[in-house]
Amino acid sequence: AYVRWYMLAYVAGSTCMVLSTQSMLYAIGLGAGSIPMAAALNWVIKDGLGQLGGVLFASCINSRFDADPKRWRMVAAVALDSACILEAMTPLAPMLFLPMASIANMGKNVSWLAASATRANILL
């Protein structure tokens, strides 16, 4: 039963990622005849700020991952879901693309860091 639920969650998560990326591309103006260089620059800045946020998170929390892995797994799941929702909302405020997408990317990096740092078996 666990594998079926895990697979369903994985498929839903992948679908969410595709839809949120499509929303961000629309918000940045690709498909509306905008200048590709400006869109590419915004995308690179978004990724750079997201990586910086992930590094800052890891440097602040690094010693606490092992103390409570279940909590950090939950933080990872909530951060990823919140990031996907924020990315999907970027078309609603295209003028705020860079801050919204950067914060969402930070959330994804926090999620991946927290999830990968707690890969040990969790016994319920």
Side-chain angles (χ1 to χ4, degrees):
Y2 171 77
V3 173
R4 278 185 250 152
W5 284 111
Y6 187 78
M7 187 186 89
L8 181 64
Y10 187 77
V11 169
S14 296
T15 303
C16 178
M17 292 285 195
V18 169
L19 292 175
S20 65
T21 301
Q22 181 181 9
S23 294
M24 285 196 317
L25 289 173
Y26 178 76
I28 201 171
L30 293 179
S34 70
I35 302 169
M37 182 57 89
L41 184 60
N42 272 331
W43 201 268
V44 169
I45 291 171
K46 167 198 74 85
D47 286 343
L49 290 174
Q51 289 294 326
L52 179 64
V55 168
L56 291 174
F57 170 78
S59 67
C60 292
I61 307 296
N62 63 4
S63 62
R64 293 184 231 159
F65 285 126
D66 292 333
D68 194 2
K70 289 180 186 179
R71 175 177 173 225
W72 290 110
R73 269 298 168 96
M74 182 61 73
V75 167
V78 170
L80 185 60
D81 291 343
S82 301
C84 286
I85 290 168
L86 186 58
E87 282 181 346
M89 291 174 47
T90 56
L92 300 176
M95 63 286 205
L96 296 174
F97 170 79
L98 192 56
M100 289 175 71
S102 295
I103 291 169
N105 206 17
M106 285 179 198
K108 284 184 174 183
N109 282 311
V110 164
S111 171
W112 292 325
L113 283 166
S116 62
T118 57
R119 288 282 183 211
N121 288 337
I122 296 177
L123 303 174
L124 301 177

